[in-house]
Amino acid sequence: MTGTGFKRWFHRFGSLPYFYDVSARWAVWLAVPAVVLIGYALVAGLFVVPPDYQQGDVFRIIYIHVPSAWLSLFGYTAMAVAGVVALVWRLKIAEIFIVAAAPVGASFTFLALVTGAIWGEPTWGTYWVWDARLTSELILLFLYLGVIALHQAIESPRTAARACALLSIVGVINVPIIHYSVVWWTTLHQGSTVSLTGGSKMDADMLWPLLAGALGFTFLFGWLTLWGMRVQLLWRERRSRWVMKRITHG
Amino acid sequence: MTSVFSAVLQRDLTVALRQRGTLVHHLMFFVLVVALFPLGTNTDGTVLVAVAPALIWMGVLLSVLLSLNDLFKADHEYGMLTQYLIADEPLAIIVAAKVLAYWLTSGAIFVITGPVLVLMLGVPVAALPVMIAALALGTPVLAMIGAIGSALTLSLPRAGLLLSLLIFPLYVPVLIFGAGAMRAAIVGLPVAGALYVLGALCLLAVTLAPWVIAAALRVGLDT
């Protein structure tokens, strides 16, 4: 892309009505792969893949659990990147992304915790252990909730979004520190109780649906966030003419 | 730049020392949180020694949370903060002086009274230097990170609960290493590692946080 081409693209991207119109088309390109990939992952994971030689059928929850956990981290990192973009270039779209991605990311974090607990009961005999990964994931959930709460508390949408941008940047610096401190804390207590990799390599038959699931969940994340952004956009600009035009004319 | 730093530091210290009541309240709160805890357990010393590090740090976290609300509030109400925002001097320097003054009048209280309280909980005297070091290295981090949250929630009417949700997750490393160093000291394990990490966190917070706080103030006041 040439310099001027990029500039034009940047400015067009900064235009909210333009984004609103284009994002409707993008949503399709996110939704179709999301449905196909998650569908494949679920069908293959639940019916095709053979049961684990140790855990039996219980392990099949991995096809929800691991993609959710991946997205909990991906979502927060994406929010922090958008936070830098929002604060440095003052791009409104990036602000809206943070606001829209926070609830989606928090949901995936919650899903990862819940599926982990459900998985933990039959395999480790307990719903919850103060393991490094579990604890970091729980704190990550609180970081998400903090961003959401801050956004709800501040009335002016621009100020709220920029405060959230700053908070997610501070949070993302802290996520690795928190993770390693929790690792240190648990190793002080006892040896690692659980290791998700378990030393045993995954068979390719089991791995492909998992990768497809992770990719599909990522598309789902993008899709949900995009719709959240569109809603945010309409709400934020509800007094502007272009919103009126689009709502009255469909 | 140094003159504005010392001027703000001096001013904030003077203001804080003239409001001794507030200082005493924070001290009382901290002492009460720690002193009431044993009443909820039995008088068996081993339990108290085991939970002493966690208890001290919980007391510190709660007291910090309470006092953080006022960190920028008075300056905001009297318009002083606006003057800081439009001043020629970098806002980060001014903010660093403010947080240092805040730490000297609150964090330092914990460093002094914390050891006395852990003695009441039955912690051996030999562990006290580590306690003091951990508190001295950890509380500046709490003050710096807390100031970020305080700046972000500055213009909100009831920010207390929100503030706890914003900053407590970020306090996890300090809690783990601060209490970890104390626990190790109580049972006689090496403490250097935890203290080094606390020192690193302290340096990181002291060098980076003032800029973040300054940015947060600008966002919070919408300039």
Side-chain angles (χ1 to χ4, degrees):
Chain A
M1 210 181 282
T2 59
T4 50
F6 177 74
K7 233 177 186 171
R8 210 167 74 211
W9 174 85
F10 188 83
H11 283 294
R12 268 200 2 209
F13 196 64
S15 147
L16 300 183
Y18 173 77
F19 175 83
Y20 184 79
D21 293 337
V22 193
S23 59
R25 262 175 285 148
W26 291 351
V28 181
W29 290 105
L30 291 168
V32 173
V35 171
V36 171
L37 285 168
I38 294 175
Y40 163 70
L42 288 185
V43 171
L46 288 179
F47 303 107
V48 181
V49 168
D52 186 73
Y53 77 102
Q54 263 184 328
Q55 299 186 13
D57 282 331
V58 171
F59 96 100
R60 292 181 197 277
I61 201 169
I62 196 175
Y63 296 109
I64 301 290
H65 177 72
V66 170
S68 307
W70 143 248
L71 273 182
S72 66
L73 290 171
F74 173 82
Y76 204 85
T77 318
M79 276 163 62
V81 172
V84 174
V85 174
L87 289 179
V88 175
W89 289 289
R90 311 238 162 166
L91 203 61
K92 276 189 187 173
I93 297 296
E95 294 174 7
I96 295 172
F97 174 84
I98 299 169
V99 172
V104 183
S107 313
F108 279 117
T109 314
F110 184 70
L111 198 60
L113 282 168
V114 170
T115 50
I118 295 171
W119 194 4
E121 214 285 323
T123 46
W124 309 332
T126 170
Y127 287 108
W128 181 261
V129 281
W130 290 96
D131 168 76
R133 277 178 199 241
L134 277 75
T135 316
S136 322
E137 191 75 8
L138 183 66
I139 291 163
L140 185 63
L141 179 64
F142 288 134
L143 286 175
Y144 271 118
L145 295 180
V147 172
I148 297 171
L150 185 65
H151 177 252
Q152 285 175 346
I154 302 178
E155 218 161 290
S156 150
R158 283 220 81 174
T159 313
R162 289 175 57 206
C164 291
L166 205 59
L167 186 65
S168 42
I169 295 170
V170 174
V172 95
I173 297 171
N174 269 277
V175 164
I177 301 178
I178 290 172
H179 181 75
Y180 285 108
S181 57
V182 173
V183 168
W184 190 86
W185 169 63
T186 45
T187 47
L188 187 77
H189 262 259
Q190 63 205 35
S192 185
T193 330
V194 284
S195 160
L196 287 181
T197 45
S200 64
K201 281 267 193 219
M202 243 185 150
D203 194 70
D205 285 349
M206 291 180 175
L207 192 61
W208 281 116
L210 186 62
L211 291 179
L215 199 61
F217 266 53
T218 314
F219 277 112
L220 179 65
F221 177 90
W223 185 24
L224 292 173
T225 308
L226 198 64
W227 275 106
M229 285 171 78
R230 287 167 61 84
V231 173
Q232 270 294 323
L233 206 55
L234 286 182
W235 178 248
R236 248 195 198 203
E237 308 283 317
R238 61 189 180 277
R239 289 193 187 86
S240 68
R241 200 175 295 155
W242 69 266
V243 170
M244 279 304 182
K245 231 170 85 188
R246 275 162 184 78
I247 288 177
T248 45
H249 298 293
Chain B
M1 226 157 85
T2 46
S3 64
V4 74
F5 183 86
S6 58
V8 172
L9 180 65
Q10 221 165 34
R11 174 188 171 275
D12 274 25
L13 282 179
T14 315
V15 170
L17 291 177
R18 287 196 184 147
Q19 299 172 332
R20 278 193 209 104
T22 321
L23 290 185
V24 174
H25 292 164
H26 286 146
L27 177 64
M28 292 294 290
F29 178 82
F30 178 54
V31 172
L32 272 173
V33 166
V34 178
L36 283 188
F37 185 86
L39 304 181
T41 66
N42 51 21
T43 46
D44 180 12
T46 53
V47 177
L48 288 180
V49 174
V51 299
L55 182 52
I56 289 290
W57 279 100
M58 289 325 284
V60 170
L61 292 190
L62 291 175
S63 321
V64 167
L65 179 70
L66 277 185
S67 57
L68 271 175
N69 268 330
D70 308 332
L71 180 53
F72 295 112
K73 189 144 272 172
D75 277 359
H76 181 41
E77 280 166 4
Y78 297 132
M80 197 69 192
L81 212 50
T82 323
Q83 296 301 317
Y84 289 150
L85 284 174
I86 59 175
D88 282 338
E89 277 77 12
L91 184 58
I93 300 290
I94 298 172
V95 161
K98 278 194 72 68
V99 179
L100 177 62
Y102 164 73
W103 180 79
L104 284 174
T105 52
S106 70
I109 292 179
F110 307 133
V111 179
I112 296 164
T113 50
V116 181
L117 288 172
V118 290
L119 278 183
M120 284 169 65
L121 296 171
V123 170
V125 181
L128 283 192
V130 177
M131 304 244 152
I132 296 170
L135 283 168
L137 289 171
T139 45
V141 185
L142 302 185
M144 281 291 176
I145 296 177
I148 299 175
S150 182
L152 281 176
T153 55
L154 183 58
S155 46
L156 303 177
R158 283 179 306 277
L161 276 174
L162 177 64
L163 191 59
S164 67
L165 187 56
L166 296 190
I167 60 177
F168 275 180
L170 303 176
Y171 281 173
V172 167
V174 177
L175 177 65
I176 287 178
F177 287 105
M182 290 184 181
R183 277 208 315 273
I186 289 172
V187 294
L189 287 171
V191 295
L195 288 182
Y196 284 148
V197 177
L198 272 181
L201 290 174
C202 185
L203 280 180
L204 191 70
V206 167
T207 46
L208 285 185
W211 275 267
V212 183
I213 300 166
L217 281 175
R218 287 190 198 283
V219 168
L221 297 176
D222 211 9
T223 50

